[in-house]
Amino acid sequence: MTAPSVPRIRARRPKVRSGCVTCKSRRVKCDEQRPVCRRCQKSWLPCGYNSSGSNQSGHQTQTDIVTTFQAQNREAASPRLLPRVRVGEFVEPETLYFDLFRNTIVANLCLNGYTNLWSRTILRESFRDDCVRDCVLGIGALRRAMMDERQLVKPPGRPPPLWTVPTIAINSSYTKYQRDAIQYYTKSISRFRERMAREGSSTPARTILIVSILFVMFEAMQGDTDSVDRIMHAARHALKDSLSSLGTERQVSSALDDEGVREADYFLTRFSGYNSLLSPFYPSLLREQPFERDCGLVIDSLPDETEDHKQVELAFERYTTSALTWCFRTCQASIFGRPLDMEKNKEEQVLILSQANNWCKFIAKKLEKEADPVQRRIWKIMLVEARMFTVYTTYSYDAEEREILWDARMNDCRDVLDLAESILDDMGPITALPPLFEDKLVPTLRCIACKCRIYAVRTRALSLLKRLSGPWLENRAILAGMKIMIELEERHRDASGFIPPRSRYRWNVSSWNSDRSELRMVLMGVTTGIRKELTIRQDGNIDDMIERLSTMSVQ
């Protein structure tokens, strides 16, 4: 007769409640390093500790979530820009999602500037507009879902994948957070469509700008470039009848919010301009007419040296946005053969180039006198942009002459790379997520990698670009494609070390397969118009692809 079984009694140990909030929510061990634990630092996750302990029921009462970058640079995300949420304003799990958006997403976006837009205008609008509120909660839920994603395991003896597709974009078995993200996002889209159908062209431009940016953000976090392209196309058409009122609206908005709306206008214009010219994933943006705005070409005098640095930054963004619009129109005319008033275009080119040189001198003086390390980095980034606009505006309508002009600016490209590298070195290892919408250093490095034909210079630009790519799908895919394009051009370098214009390419179009494991590239000869097509696999080896380029057919 067997002895009766005795139930096992687990040894009870006191629970450790001093770990960070993120590790406790993921049910993993925390080393409790402050201000950011090693596990969160390694995984690019927000890290925070309860500032006032837990109540008797074990629920958290108040949490301060900090990103790695915030821990290293408190000045970049001042607490006054991230107001606390009152308990009655949200219910669970909305409080978690809003906190993630406010403390993680906003902090990430503020690394690239536009702080009034991200940390004030959008947050305030989320309390006034249900459409904005739902989208903000959807983005917060999406970020929470991404925190639990498992990265692809590197197979033994195989290189890591060239890019990683977010599982929310390909997995039909959604988690609770993924379901919540989609539900909030879908609800926001429905609300916005109903409002546009009801109000039509009378919908305020500020609403269209803010909602469009949030929709773009949700899709960009998943790497869905096709949806981003469609949203931007729709936003352009929706804004045509509303932009005339931009900057004059005072409905439930303070002067501070108006600065954020202007930043939204600059951001959306720069995002569409740079991506249409330097990313192959946005064909609609490249073919669309640029935003028609009443500000025209900016030829304002430079700010006074004693003026507040925030106002200087805003004036510089106004100039670069206007200059980029000119570059976009000129490039469109060249690529698609659109009519262009050449005399007026030349006059504007001289004005923009002169202003770029003036800004270079102005910013260099500010940088020389600046002692604060955070503000010095901002001046350096502005100087990179100003110097690159002296290169961008040295433009010719003739394709071959345009290539020769670029060849003559190689020393300027080297100087810009030196400055960009010093900026990244000053920041140290980027353990926080690089900015999702980086529109200053990334366009510069992409442009140099594409247009500079000195191998050492363009590969150096790629290595710096890699440091800013993070896990973002589009950035990683563009890195892989650019490397292949560079190596393809290198095969045509002649005995004198020169790549002739007829052997230079422009990455014109790209498309994905259904699960985004394959990327189709279409390269177009800059002067010849010859097309070359190839497919990059996510698990492919770039060196092997380059070796097979010799057998690639010309179509």
Side-chain angles (χ1 to χ4, degrees):
M1 195 173 173
T2 58
S5 58
V6 179
R8 296 178 59 186
I9 299 177
R10 294 180 59 183
R12 292 188 177 275
R13 297 183 180 89
K15 285 188 176 182
V16 178
R17 301 186 182 275
S18 54
C20 79
V21 175
T22 301
C23 288
K24 285 195 287 188
S25 69
R26 300 175 70 200
R27 300 180 182 274
V28 295
K29 186 175 181 180
C30 179
D31 65 6
E32 302 181 30
Q33 177 174 294
R34 294 175 184 256
V36 181
C37 74
R38 290 190 181 91
R39 190 181 293 274
C40 290
Q41 185 175 4
K42 183 178 180 181
S43 303
W44 287 352
L45 296 175
C47 185
Y49 294 86
N50 290 337
S51 58
S52 58
S54 302
N55 58 22
Q56 293 179 353
S57 62
H59 294 291
Q60 298 160 8
T61 56
Q62 183 174 313
T63 303
D64 292 324
I65 298 179
V66 182
T67 65
T68 305
F69 185 89
Q70 284 175 296
Q72 297 169 349
N73 302 277
R74 286 288 181 176
E75 300 88 344
S78 173
R80 68 183 178 86
L81 298 181
L82 303 173
R84 298 191 182 281
V85 182
R86 293 183 292 275
V87 176
E89 292 168 342
F90 293 97
V91 296
E92 293 296 342
E94 293 178 351
T95 305
L96 169 64
Y97 299 152
F98 188 83
D99 259 346
L100 281 171
F101 181 89
R102 179 191 58 168
N103 292 298
T104 305
I105 301 296
V106 167
N108 173 269
L109 295 169
C110 284
L111 300 181
N112 186 49
Y114 309 109
T115 54
N116 286 316
L117 168 64
W118 305 125
S119 61
R120 297 180 182 178
T121 301
I122 287 182
L123 292 182
R124 291 181 181 182
E125 203 72 15
S126 66
F127 291 98
R128 300 168 179 156
D129 191 313
D130 288 339
C131 179
V132 175
R133 174 191 176 101
D134 287 336
C135 200
V136 163
L137 294 175
I139 292 170
L142 178 62
R143 178 66 185 119
R144 182 61 185 86
M146 294 174 69
M147 288 165 59
D148 288 339
E149 285 186 356
R150 295 181 179 179
Q151 298 295 326
L152 293 176
V153 179
K154 176 182 173 182
R158 295 281 302 278
L162 299 178
W163 60 82
T164 302
V165 182
T167 57
I168 189 174
I170 60 175
N171 189 359
S172 60
S173 178
Y174 295 133
T175 67
K176 173 187 181 304
Y177 304 117
Q178 291 168 334
R179 288 195 300 270
D180 286 352
I182 294 172
Q183 288 173 1
Y184 282 120
Y185 182 56
T186 304
K187 188 190 300 184
S188 179
I189 291 176
S190 298
R191 290 183 189 275
F192 185 64
R193 284 176 176 169
E194 292 172 1
R195 182 169 183 179
M196 290 294 294
R198 183 174 63 253
E199 300 178 359
S201 60
S202 63
T203 305
R206 60 176 289 116
T207 300
I208 300 174
L209 279 169
I210 292 171
V211 172
S212 298
I213 288 172
L214 290 174
F215 288 169
V216 166
M217 191 189 308
F218 187 92
E219 301 293 354
M221 288 175 67
Q222 301 178 77
D224 192 344
T225 53
D226 292 339
S227 293
V228 171
D229 191 44
R230 287 193 295 269
I231 291 169
M232 290 297 299
H233 175 78
R236 283 173 177 272
H237 286 276
L239 283 166
K240 279 183 179 178
D241 298 329
S242 301
L243 276 175
S244 59
S245 63
L246 187 64
T248 63
E249 298 176 30
R250 291 295 182 269
Q251 302 167 346
V252 296
S253 64
S254 63
L256 182 63
D257 273 334
D258 288 339
E259 289 185 9
V261 173
R262 282 193 291 272
E263 289 180 357
D265 180 30
Y266 297 156
F267 167 77
L268 206 62
T269 304
R270 289 164 62 93
F271 179 86
S272 61
Y274 276 130
N275 280 296
S276 62
L277 297 175
L278 297 171
S279 173
F281 295 108
Y282 304 100
S284 295
L285 294 184
L286 184 59
R287 289 174 173 79
E288 283 281 350
Q289 292 290 341
F291 285 138
E292 296 293 338
R293 52 189 74 255
D294 56 5
C295 64
L297 183 66
V298 174
I299 52 175
D300 299 338
S301 58
L302 294 180
D304 189 89
E305 290 192 13
T306 60
E307 196 162 347
D308 178 72
H309 66 86
K310 289 294 183 184
Q311 294 304 314
V312 173
E313 292 169 26
L314 194 63
F316 184 68
E317 285 175 356
R318 175 176 165 84
Y319 160 73
T320 54
T321 302
S322 175
L324 178 60
T325 302
W326 177 88
C327 292
F328 180 74
R329 288 173 176 157
T330 306
C331 289
Q332 272 192 329
S334 175
I335 294 172
F336 300 111
R338 292 180 177 173
L340 189 68
D341 186 337
M342 298 302 295
E343 184 175 348
K344 180 181 179 182
N345 186 263
K346 281 289 185 183
E347 293 175 357
E348 292 175 339
Q349 183 179 24
V350 171
L351 289 173
I352 293 173
L353 182 58
S354 173
Q355 194 80 334
N357 286 319
N358 291 337
W359 271 110
C360 285
K361 296 174 184 176
F362 178 87
I363 298 169
K365 288 182 180 178
K366 300 289 284 186
L367 177 61
E368 185 178 354
K369 298 176 182 178
E370 187 63 59
D372 179 69
V374 174
Q375 188 59 41
R376 278 186 61 84
R377 184 171 62 249
I378 294 173
W379 293 131
K380 283 185 178 181
I381 293 174
M382 290 172 62
L383 187 56
V384 165
E385 280 199 281
R387 287 185 176 178
M388 280 307 295
F389 271 102
T390 67
V391 178
Y392 295 150
T393 50
T394 308
Y395 191 89
S396 171
Y397 194 75
D398 179 76
E400 188 162 347
E401 183 180 350
R402 188 163 61 245
E403 295 300 310
I404 294 173
L405 288 173
W406 261 97
D407 292 342
R409 303 300 297 268
M410 289 304 102
N411 288 335
D412 297 289
C413 291
R414 289 191 182 95
D415 292 342
V416 167
L417 286 183
D418 288 340
L419 192 55
E421 188 168 20
S422 72
I423 293 169
L424 295 180
D425 289 343
D426 288 345
M427 292 176 66
I430 301 180
T431 52
L433 278 173
L436 173 63
F437 295 131
E438 213 291 333
D439 65 349
K440 297 172 177 63
L441 295 182
V442 167
T444 294
L445 297 173
R446 284 183 185 175
C447 194
I448 291 176
C450 288
K451 303 298 291 184
C452 173
R453 263 67 191 197
I454 298 177
Y455 188 74
V457 174
R458 64 197 319 193
T459 53
R460 183 185 175 199
L462 279 185
S463 67
L464 295 177
L465 194 57
K466 186 176 181 180
R467 294 169 64 176
L468 286 168
S469 293
W472 309 121
L473 174 64
E474 180 186 349
N475 291 348
R476 299 287 294 274
I478 287 178
L479 269 178
M482 280 186 173
K483 185 173 182 181
I484 288 178
M485 185 180 72
I486 290 170
E487 295 298 335
L488 179 60
E489 289 186 345
E490 282 299 311
R491 298 171 64 85
H492 300 282
R493 192 177 293 276
D494 60 24
S496 64
F498 181 71
I499 300 177
R502 67 176 180 276
S503 300
R504 302 180 182 188
Y505 296 96
R506 182 179 71 250
W507 188 359
N508 199 42
V509 179
S510 282
S511 59
W512 298 99
N513 66 344
S514 58
D515 63 358
R516 284 183 257 175
S517 62
E518 293 184 356
L519 174 65
R520 171 179 164 269
M521 289 181 64
V522 178
L523 302 179
M524 185 77 70
V526 173
T527 61
T528 64
I530 294 176
R531 289 165 58 97
K532 288 183 180 291
E533 298 187 15
L534 67 153
T535 299
I536 310 175
R537 288 187 54 83
Q538 179 187 20
D539 58 354
N541 184 290
I542 289 183
D543 294 330
D544 292 341
M545 295 181 200
I546 294 170
E547 287 296 322
R548 294 196 299 269
L549 287 177
S550 58
T551 62
M552 185 172 59
S553 61
V554 178
Q555 302 183 0

